[in-house]
Amino acid sequence: EAGVAQSPRYKIIEKRQSVAFWCNPISGHATLYWYQQILGQGPKLLIQFQNNGVVDDSQLPKDRFSAERLKGVDSTLKIQPAKLEDSAVYLCASSLLGGRNEQFFGPGTRLTVL
Amino acid sequence: GDSVTQMEGPVTLSEEAFLTINCTYTATGYPSLFWYVQYPGEGLQLLLKATKADDKGSNKGFEATYRKETTSFHLEKGSVQVSDSAVYFCALTPNNAGNMLTFGGGTRLMVKP
């Protein structure tokens, strides 16, 4: 079974530029998550989708971050404009719908903002 | 809100030593508790979990017991190997139907031959 796919794996940009990350969840997983993991810290949830609807985006900095999950499969997370403090690994995870199902994580995208 | 606190690392051990990584949590009700592991260059993987008080999760020689009275979920292994070198994260999900994970800060384990 293929795992969660993410691209790119690494991205370096300058502050005030924009960047987008892509995630393809495990086939059949209705729930998709984006986490931000700053170096030396645990991952922090940014947004949770169920199919193509947002379940929780309370910790997403909406002035610069946006995410979508068209058709309830792939998802894109965008940052515009980026700030230095956005340097982190962005993790995508997916799970089956409902209950306390295990989340499966992708390898992450490491973003460096200069 | 919910939170998870882990002992800070790095933890450096010799091969075959006993491992304990402390984890305590703050949450309402009865959350589910997890340990995730992140090997160098890889994504997070679920190591073990427990969903109710006194449950013991176990996998690959690692164990953790859900202690409601002390709000703890300490990770233990009787004999570590060099291949166990990784970062370990304690996490919880709330007791409602949602499964949003709240993570601790992570503990880096380094095992020397």
Side-chain angles (χ1 to χ4, degrees):
Chain A
E1 177 182 273
V4 177
Q6 291 188 247
S7 67
R9 291 295 308 275
Y10 305 92
K11 189 73 176 178
I12 300 174
I13 62 173
E14 297 194 348
K15 59 184 179 183
R16 291 188 289 273
Q17 288 187 320
S18 63
V19 64
F21 313 125
W22 173 81
C23 172
N24 182 243
I26 292 173
S27 177
H29 281 194
T31 308
L32 184 147
Y33 312 79
W34 283 102
Y35 291 85
Q36 180 193 57
Q37 185 178 14
I38 293 172
L39 185 64
Q41 299 181 19
K44 183 186 78 171
L45 181 72
L46 293 175
I47 189 167
Q48 176 183 347
F49 291 94
Q50 188 162 293
N51 296 309
N52 60 351
V54 175
V55 175
D56 186 339
D57 64 356
S58 57
Q59 299 192 78
L60 187 74
K62 299 180 187 63
D63 57 332
R64 297 184 300 106
F65 286 65
S66 64
E68 60 183 11
R69 192 183 183 199
L70 300 176
K71 302 181 182 178
V73 182
D74 294 7
S75 178
T76 302
L77 176 70
K78 296 180 181 178
I79 308 176
Q80 181 178 12
K83 293 186 175 181
L84 297 177
E85 59 261 34
D86 298 331
S87 294
V89 176
Y90 291 85
L91 297 168
C92 180
S94 69
S95 70
L96 292 169
L97 178 65
R100 299 181 182 183
N101 290 295
E102 177 182 350
Q103 294 183 30
F104 293 84
F105 285 80
T109 296
R110 182 177 297 277
L111 173 67
T112 302
V113 182
L114 304 176
Chain B
D2 297 346
S3 66
V4 177
T5 302
Q6 300 180 226
M7 61 188 290
E8 289 193 16
V11 173
T12 303
L13 296 172
S14 297
E15 208 164 22
E16 299 183 3
F18 184 86
L19 168 71
T20 299
I21 300 178
N22 290 338
C23 170
T24 57
Y25 68 90
T26 301
T28 55
Y30 296 88
S32 291
L33 302 174
F34 305 82
W35 276 100
Y36 278 82
V37 58
Q38 191 170 37
Y39 297 104
E42 298 184 18
L44 281 166
Q45 302 174 27
L46 179 64
L47 180 60
L48 54 85
K49 68 178 182 181
T51 58
K52 61 182 188 294
D54 300 324
D55 265 4
K56 177 184 286 187
S58 62
N59 186 25
K60 299 181 181 180
F62 291 88
E63 293 183 340
T65 301
Y66 188 142
R67 300 289 188 199
K68 179 68 176 175
E69 63 276 13
T70 55
T71 62
S72 65
F73 193 55
H74 304 321
L75 182 68
E76 297 182 336
K77 186 175 185 181
S79 176
V80 294
Q81 306 300 313
V82 172
S83 57
D84 293 327
S85 297
V87 181
Y88 292 82
F89 292 92
C90 186
L92 66 81
T93 58
N95 64 344
N96 57 24
N99 53 351
M100 182 188 82
L101 282 163
T102 297
F103 285 90
T107 303
R108 180 176 299 278
L109 170 66
M110 301 193 315
V111 181
K112 297 185 175 181

